Structure formats: C-alpha cells, structure tokens
Amino acid sequence: MSEERNQAERFGIPIQEKIDHFPWVRDQVAVIPYIFAKQKKILPLEESESGVTVAISDPLDLESIDEMRLLLKKQINPVYCSKSLLEAAIERCYHQKEEETKKLFNDLEKEKNSNDGKREDALEGYDLLEQADHNPVIRMVNALIIEAIQQGASDIHFEPTEHGLSVRFRIDGVLQKRHTPPREYQNQVLTRIKVMSKMDIAEHRLPQDGRIKLRHGGREIDFRVSTLPIVHGERIVLRILDKGNVLLGLDRIGMDEKLLKNLRRLTHLPEGIILVTGPTGSGKTTTLYSALSEINASEMNIMTIEDPVEYKLPGISQMNVNSRIELDFAKGLRHILRQDPDVIMIGEIRDRETAEIAIQASLTGHLVLSTLHTNDAPSALTRLADMGIEPYLLASSILGVLAQRLVRRICPVCKTPYVPSSDELVELGLKKEQVSGGKLYRGVGCESCFGTGYKGRQGVYELMPVTSKIKTQVLKSQDAEELRRLAIKEEMVTLFQRGALLAAAGLTTSAEVLRVTRLNEEIH
C-alpha cells in the first residue's frame, strides 16, 4: 500500500479505486485549465448540493485544495485516487474531440493573419496541450495531432488534392477521412510539419524523411515523418510511435494458450531461427519485441539491427541500418556477430546474403529472430529456398514460423448480437454448435468508435513449428502447398480458422475475418 493511500485513510479522505464513472470524467467535462490540473494533479469529478467532489493524489497538498475552492467558489470534497488513475482521467477530460477541431477550423476561416508557419520556437519536446500559441497554423497542426493521438491513430496523412488538403487518420488499420483545412492554409500546414521535423523547407522536388518528438499528457511520443512530391504538392505522412500504447509480452498480444505455449518453447531454445511473417502493419515488430522482452535477462547479450529502431528496449543493444553509409542488414549483422551475442533480432530478411549470415549465426549457437514478407507460415520456407538457401540448411536451422494478421475488434459500446445465416456460417467454416448461443456480433456504430462499429485490434496467429516430418518434407520439396497440408495434419490452426474462432467468440465480425484472411484461404 502506498504512503499517500495510508495518509488518505489516516485523514478520513474517501478512497476511489476508479474515477472514470464520475459524470465530468465520463462526459469529458473540463472545468479548470489543463495546466492547473496537470501541475497540481487535481481534477473535479462532479457537483452536488454539498459542493464539488475533487480527486487528488496527494492528501497533504492542502494548498491545491484551497486554490480549487477559490477557483470554483464552491465547497471542495476531496477523494483520493492513485496518481496513474488521475493522470489518465485528466487526459480523458481534455480529450480533443473531432467537433472541437472542426470548430477551430471554422474559427480560423475568419482569421487571415497567418505568418507562413515558419516559427521554430519550442519545437523540440514541448507539450501539445500546454502550447498556447496564437499562430493559427500552429494551433491547427497541434489540434490535428492531439486528435489523432487520442483517437488511437497510427498514422496521419496530409494529402494535397485538386480541391485542397485532405487529412486522414489510420485507425485500427483503416484510413478514415477527418478534416479538410482551409485551402489558404495548405502550404503553411505542410511547411509547419517540415519545420517541426527539421526538414529542408525549401526543397519541394525530392522526398524527405524526418522525426518529431513531442509530449502529450505526460507521455513522450515520437513521430516518423515522410514527404513525397506529388502532382498537387507535397504529401506528408506522420507515423505515430506512442510507447504508452505498446503492449509488450507474448501473453498480452492476443495469442491463445496452446499457441503461446508452443511459441514460448521455441523462444527459449538456445539456437536456431524463428521467423515472423505478415504484411506491413500486421504487428510483426511488436511480436518480436514481446519475445525479446520475455527472454531479456542480465546474463543474456541481446542485439538487434532494425530499419529503423521503432521503440528502445531497456537492456538490449539496438542498431539502425543506414543506407547513406552503406550499413545494411548484412554488413551490420557481420559486426554484431563479433560482439558475442546470445540472441539476435534482424528487422527483416530481404536478400540471400542476410539470410545466409542469419543461418550461419543460428548454426553456431545463436538464437535468431527475424521477419519475412509472406502470406502464411509455410510460404516462408519457400521464400528462403527461392532466395537460394539450400534445403538442408533450412531444415537444420529454422525452428518455427509465425504468421500473423490484425483484425479489428467489435466496439464494446455498440456491440449487438444477431442470428447469422447458414451461408455466413458456411463461409466462415463454422457449425451452429460452435457459435455461442447461436449468435454472432457486430457493431452498429456510435460516438465512441466514430461510427465504424470497431474499436481496437486483435492479433490472429498461425504457428508452424518445424517438426521432424516438416524437415523431411523440406529436404524433398519446398512447395508451400505441400508444407501447408503437412502442417495442418500436424495440428496447425490456420489464420482463417483462428479468425473464424474469434468471430464465434464475439471478438470480431465475420466481415472483418474475411477481409483480412480470405485471400490467404483462397490462394490455397
């Protein structure tokens, strides 16, 4: 029990384990300035006849309670909650709603006093919610970034079109159009982003890459920025790298117990190669990081080479590839092997040279983890064979292949049951008795999920351990179809089958399962 909680009990201050159910937190009502709430760690929760109930994390901070009494001109009834709960509630109350951003854009339509968006003051690491700049372009960019972060977007797309600047957010893997800033601000918005990411604002003909580091609600958030010249101007994409949203740990990314047990067994072997396959944005890097975080220990030397390093992991040496100085995966991997590593993670096996070095590393006592772009697990061995790797090397070095996809989860707020048709069940390969209560679920769309019916994502996995029978097959033939049939006989559950089980459990919809895994099933 924390010292602050003990003090609250001693002084008779009520203790709240949850505060998100209070009216002002639930309805995102911000009744005091953000800076005051953040600095004092204090937040009004609701008003009643007896006064205003206020959450505090420090029962001894009587000065802040007095300031709140003067500010609200009401009797203050303090309740104690933990600092982490309070900070989360503060961020929720100051959530940037889409309507607020639209209102800002409408207000800016009336302001025609821009200054080209070229100011560079306080760019590095400032807090977006604290920035009180009156420059309309800075306010506009900040509002868009805040909205994207708090809606859980992974990317922000700024795309100049014939009719103006289109702003879209990628939420749960799907692009959704959000805003069209006033046309006269288009160039200034793009210039502002280039200034923030330390790009050359005079260069409009060549693509550029940059990074931005900002704070939001006490969290540090990195952005990877890419510009591309297109017909109507420069297209800019911001990839949001929010460490606070990353769940590391194989038991926290949605694997079922049997698959998790088998994968953990592979990751604790002393040598060999484990491959993770899937398209871009399917969560491969998160899976590898989760595996590394589980086997990370002081007696292990774990090293990675990535393009680029997305999240810094404590206790692990991570290296970026750098094409400007000809530091590619193969060259970096050779030097890593001279650093006496126990475990090596390679961002991606792209060519024969990298694959050969990885295999040699696995055969000389190292555990190697890497990614590959293939549709399913068996196809990974076929791809390596196509690169020119000898079958006997594949059979002796590959421990297993994990294929994965991400499906959107049904929004819990507007989740609605329905009776599926027999055709829908046939399409999913399900029988009526496999569906709980004979019903599937879908989201009808609400404010919480922005009308999509989905909120959050769930991993779908397919693990193929390279057993003795599969090794024998690899030596005979590396045909993906033959390997797939044998793996299914060896009790491998395919991506499509796993997705269908998620739909039957009410976690996702049949449409989402078919969208993400149907092509995979039809190929075979």
Side-chain angles (χ1 to χ4, degrees), residues 257-422:
E257 287 185 20
K258 186 178 178 182
L259 187 146
L260 177 59
K261 183 179 177 181
N262 287 332
L263 182 60
R264 276 182 168 153
R265 179 180 58 80
L266 296 178
T267 58
H268 284 84
L269 292 174
E271 59 188 58
I273 298 179
I274 300 171
L275 295 171
V276 181
T277 76
T280 302
S282 61
K284 298 188 298 296
T285 303
T286 300
T287 300
L288 289 179
Y289 281 169
S290 295
L292 292 180
S293 68
E294 288 209 355
I295 59 179
N296 189 13
S298 59
E299 63 269 18
M300 302 279 283
N301 179 19
I302 302 176
M303 305 191 73
T304 77
I305 177 164
E306 305 168 58
D307 182 21
V309 172
E310 291 192 8
Y311 300 103
K312 292 170 186 169
L313 304 175
I316 294 175
S317 302
Q318 296 170 268
M319 178 169 69
N320 270 314
V321 300
N322 191 336
S323 57
R324 294 178 185 174
I325 55 173
E326 298 181 356
L327 176 60
D328 56 14
F329 282 113
K331 188 173 183 179
L333 193 49
R334 283 197 199 92
H335 288 281
I336 282 177
L337 288 170
R338 296 171 193 158
Q339 293 281 314
D340 186 31
D342 296 297
V343 180
I344 303 167
M345 182 191 121
I346 307 166
E348 184 186 345
I349 293 178
R350 296 175 179 170
D351 52 51
R352 178 176 176 174
E353 187 179 11
T354 305
E356 286 177 340
I357 300 170
I359 286 173
Q360 290 303 321
S362 72
L363 294 174
T364 53
H366 304 89
L367 180 65
V368 179
L369 287 75
S370 187
T371 70
L372 205 61
H373 283 285
T374 61
N375 284 323
D376 59 8
S379 299
L381 299 177
T382 309
R383 176 67 55 84
L384 289 172
D386 289 343
M387 286 182 183
I389 304 301
E390 294 293 338
Y392 73 91
L393 289 174
L394 293 176
S396 57
S397 63
I398 307 295
L399 298 173
V401 185
L402 179 76
Q404 67 180 75
R405 298 288 190 278
L406 291 174
V407 293
R408 291 180 291 173
R409 294 176 71 104
I410 301 170
C411 173
V413 178
C414 60
K415 185 175 179 178
T416 306
Y418 71 97
V419 178
S421 66
S422 55

Side-chain angles (χ1 to χ4, degrees), residues 171-238:
I171 300 175
D172 296 332
V174 177
L175 276 173
Q176 300 176 23
K177 187 165 182 178
R178 279 292 179 265
H179 303 286
T180 305
R183 189 179 180 86
E184 61 268 23
Y185 289 110
Q186 174 176 313
N187 292 334
Q188 298 166 45
V189 166
L190 299 178
T191 300
R192 168 66 179 172
I193 296 169
K194 290 171 74 174
V195 168
M196 293 172 74
S197 48
K198 298 180 173 59
M199 295 181 184
D200 182 356
I201 62 173
E203 178 57 74
H204 302 287
R205 299 168 300 168
L206 294 172
Q208 296 186 67
D209 292 310
R211 292 185 84 96
I212 304 173
K213 187 187 288 281
L214 298 173
R215 289 196 312 277
H216 178 262
R219 310 200 312 266
E220 279 208 354
I221 300 174
D222 290 334
F223 298 80
R224 216 164 61 224
V225 188
S226 170
T227 71
L228 187 74
I230 60 174
V231 173
H232 298 292
E234 281 185 283
R235 194 180 195 283
I236 297 184
V237 176
L238 276 68

